[in-house]
Amino acid sequence: MLTDQIVKGLLENDYHVIKFIYKSYYKAVKNFVTNHGGSNRDASDIFQESILVVFEKLRQDPALIQKNFPSYLFGVSKYLWKQHQRDLQKAVHTINLSQEVQPGLEFAEIPRDIEMETLAMKEKQDRIFQEAYISLKPDCRKIIDLVINGCTVEEIADFMDYTTVSNAYRKRQFCKEKLMAYIHHNN
Amino acid sequence: MEKLNKDIQIDRYVTGKLDDAELWEFRQEMEKNPRLAKEVELRSSIYKSIADKQKLNLRISLKAMSAKYQVSRLTIHSWKVQAIAAGIAVFLLVGAGLLTSVFNRSNPDQLFESYYHPESSLLSVRSGSFSDNTSLNLGMLSYDQGQYEESIEIFKTIPNNVVARLYCGFAYMNVKNYEAAINEFDYVVAHGDNLFIDQASWFRGLSFLADNKISTAKSIFTNIASQDGAYHSKATDLLEELKNK
């Protein structure tokens, strides 16, 4: 699959492209992470995080990664794993920067700059916020969507078919507390 | 109550619903109260992130793909375990063969079990700004994780979505609520303008079979077998086995 097909598919959340990315590149990232002190779970998290960071960068400028998608994805994975190790204050020197992710696969060297730090930070934040939303029950997600769209409590009562406005108040408060509890617990 | 009102006021500020006078007053208050300013900043980031449905949908798809990929890549490394597993497999195959020859799939339950293969999700839901897609993706995610009751609850929030109705039907089948499953497949078939009519018809027939409504199931399979669709040969085979029922 060509890089521009992957880029387009990723931006459109295309199932076949996502499957292709997993099938083609997950093993290499998993090998890298597990060979450098990480678990399978770490590898899975880093891989997802890397795809979302690449996605964010593509959204800003699709032309940036036109040359070699896997090389860039591996570079981001390596960058994020190093950052994770730094956060845990583990021995960074155990990571051999010149080591290939997998024989025959090239990976870009991503410099530690403000742009990449910001993208990684944003992804960490989005992950907590969006996971919190995903963890809610469907009716709570609907209410949170209505709140975000600026609906009043009266409008929420109407939309959700609540018999009284005070019910809507209570439910709105309950859902927001659930959302915030998840965020505070995971932050 | 005052706390609740402040909470609503923050939401109105973040979502741009304060009028000019309220806005001016609120900004003044934020300047004097750093805790309030911090709360506003946090809430603004949270809402912005949740409103980003394109990224949210991709995250959901990746979670589902990751779960699928881990399951499909589970391997048994130990040769001893592999040998034991192979032994069990041979035993089961022989056992299954014997059972099949003895009973010859003589009752509808057995026929249903041999023809019913649960569908896994397609996850081909394109991202966009519509929360419908998010609900569909979330429903698929729950479905893929085997949380069928939860997926039904989510699919029911988008009753006009054909894919949601189809997968809601599959989810009902998985919890053995065939009557409800038939309702969902009825919707997909009656809708007419979609790519899932063959699939819905086939699973509708299987649901009737599982519910022991043999003559209705037969007439559905006869209809499928008479057409040149994807389930033509399966329906023909199944009808052959149902001949004397």
Side-chain angles (χ1 to χ4, degrees):
Chain A
M1 196 175 281
L2 298 169
T3 288
D4 55 355
Q5 285 176 296
I6 298 175
V7 168
K8 188 171 177 286
L10 197 56
L11 291 172
E12 289 179 351
N13 192 15
D14 185 306
Y15 167 75
H16 299 288
V17 169
I18 292 168
K19 192 176 172 188
F20 174 83
I21 292 172
Y22 259 87
K23 205 173 159 191
S24 310
Y25 312 128
Y26 177 60
K27 197 177 163 195
V29 173
K30 188 180 138 191
N31 287 344
F32 176 77
V33 172
T34 52
N35 287 339
H36 292 92
S39 63
N40 283 348
R41 176 69 195 268
D42 291 328
S44 175
D45 288 348
I46 287 289
F47 190 63
Q48 278 186 54
E49 213 175 307
S50 308
I51 295 173
L52 287 156
V53 166
V54 172
F55 163 81
E56 198 68 66
K57 193 157 169 76
L58 284 171
R59 251 197 327 195
Q60 290 169 7
D61 186 359
L64 279 175
I65 315 169
Q66 285 299 351
K67 277 186 186 166
N68 191 339
F69 176 83
S71 160
Y72 192 79
L73 180 68
F74 294 147
V76 172
S77 298
K78 197 180 87 171
Y79 181 97
L80 293 176
W81 182 242
K82 276 165 62 186
Q83 191 190 51
H84 177 75
Q85 298 280 70
R86 266 200 307 272
D87 290 348
L88 291 176
Q89 294 180 321
K90 281 188 179 172
V92 180
H93 65 267
T94 57
I95 299 173
N96 178 0
L97 298 182
S98 63
Q99 190 179 328
E100 284 190 5
V101 175
Q102 193 169 295
L105 291 178
E106 169 205 345
F107 60 109
E109 199 59 59
I110 310 284
R112 192 179 171 192
D113 59 15
I114 292 175
E115 193 207 359
M116 192 44 75
E117 289 288 312
T118 310
L119 281 174
M121 181 79 82
K122 184 178 184 314
E123 167 47 27
K124 276 197 170 63
Q125 205 178 48
D126 279 346
R127 180 179 180 166
I128 296 169
F129 298 161
Q130 294 189 339
E131 296 267 357
Y133 174 80
I134 291 169
S135 76
L136 297 175
K137 290 271 177 198
D139 56 342
C140 270
R141 279 199 294 265
K142 200 107 198 161
I143 288 172
I144 295 295
D145 279 338
L146 293 171
V147 169
I148 290 173
N149 281 312
C151 290
T152 63
V153 182
E154 289 76 13
E155 285 167 331
I156 292 173
D158 188 37
F159 197 88
M160 300 296 291
D161 280 336
Y162 293 138
T163 45
T164 63
V165 173
S166 63
N167 274 351
Y169 261 111
R170 266 197 298 276
K171 193 72 188 173
R172 176 189 176 280
Q173 204 54 21
F174 170 80
C175 296
K176 287 192 68 181
E177 279 168 10
K178 283 265 173 201
L179 182 80
M180 295 311 288
Y182 184 100
I183 289 169
H184 289 309
H185 183 73
N186 290 282
N187 216 346
Chain B
M1 197 64 190
E2 196 185 324
K3 199 179 161 195
L4 188 61
N5 286 337
K6 182 54 76 188
D7 181 71
I8 289 174
Q9 198 182 22
I10 295 173
D11 278 345
R12 291 185 63 219
Y13 173 79
V14 169
T15 56
K17 297 285 175 183
L18 292 182
D19 63 37
D20 287 349
E22 288 173 317
L23 192 62
W24 186 83
E25 203 178 313
F26 192 80
R27 280 185 177 149
Q28 292 281 314
E29 201 182 337
M30 269 204 296
E31 271 183 31
K32 289 179 203 155
N33 184 351
R35 269 186 70 180
L36 175 66
K38 210 173 165 188
E39 173 63 29
V40 168
E41 194 188 334
L42 173 68
R43 205 173 298 186
S44 176
S45 304
I46 294 169
Y47 288 0
K48 205 173 159 191
S49 180
I50 293 173
D52 183 355
K53 300 299 183 200
Q54 190 187 15
K55 190 169 185 179
L56 181 68
N57 280 321
L58 178 62
R59 188 179 304 283
I60 294 164
S61 298
L62 291 174
K63 273 168 79 83
M65 186 61 75
S66 167
K68 262 185 182 179
Y69 210 75
Q70 307 265 348
V71 169
S72 67
R73 287 287 179 274
L74 278 179
T75 51
I76 301 166
H77 296 293
S78 156
W79 68 269
K80 281 183 183 171
V81 177
Q82 281 184 336
I84 293 167
I88 292 170
V90 169
F91 174 78
L92 288 175
L93 280 171
V94 171
L98 283 174
L99 284 174
T100 307
S101 61
V102 170
F103 293 108
N104 198 22
R105 298 197 292 215
S106 59
N107 70 48
D109 282 351
Q110 285 168 331
L111 272 175
F112 171 76
E113 291 298 335
S114 59
Y115 279 86
Y116 174 58
H117 304 291
E119 292 286 295
S120 63
S121 79
L122 289 166
L123 279 170
S124 53
V125 186
R126 292 290 169 95
S127 67
S129 56
F130 304 107
S131 60
D132 254 23
N133 277 355
T134 305
S135 300
L136 188 55
N137 270 322
L138 284 167
M140 296 288 200
L141 180 64
S142 297
Y143 180 87
D144 271 341
Q145 292 174 340
Q147 296 160 351
Y148 301 117
E149 299 285 3
E150 163 118 7
S151 73
I152 290 167
E153 207 183 322
I154 299 170
F155 288 137
K156 281 189 155 190
T157 64
I158 37 175
N160 297 325
N161 188 308
V162 176
V163 182
R165 298 294 293 260
L166 181 73
Y167 277 86
C168 195
F170 296 151
Y172 274 127
M173 285 184 86
N174 277 293
V175 295
K176 304 197 185 304
N177 185 346
Y178 300 111
E179 215 176 302
I182 290 164
N183 270 336
E184 300 304 313
F185 297 136
D186 278 348
Y187 175 89
V188 179
V189 174
H191 179 273
D193 186 22
N194 65 74
L195 299 168
F196 310 105
I197 292 172
D198 281 0
Q199 211 175 357
S201 303
W202 169 250
F203 283 95
R204 185 169 168 263
L206 287 179
S207 298
F208 276 112
L209 182 65
D211 216 11
N212 219 11
K213 290 169 180 157
I214 313 294
S215 61
T216 315
K218 269 183 173 176
S219 93
I220 293 167
F221 294 133
T222 306
N223 189 31
I224 296 171
S226 70
Q227 291 163 16
D228 197 20
Y231 293 90
H232 165 85
S233 44
K234 274 187 183 174
T236 310
D237 291 349
L238 183 47
L239 277 171
E240 187 62 34
E241 299 204 49
L242 279 170
K243 222 173 204 171
N244 302 318
K245 309 262 178 309

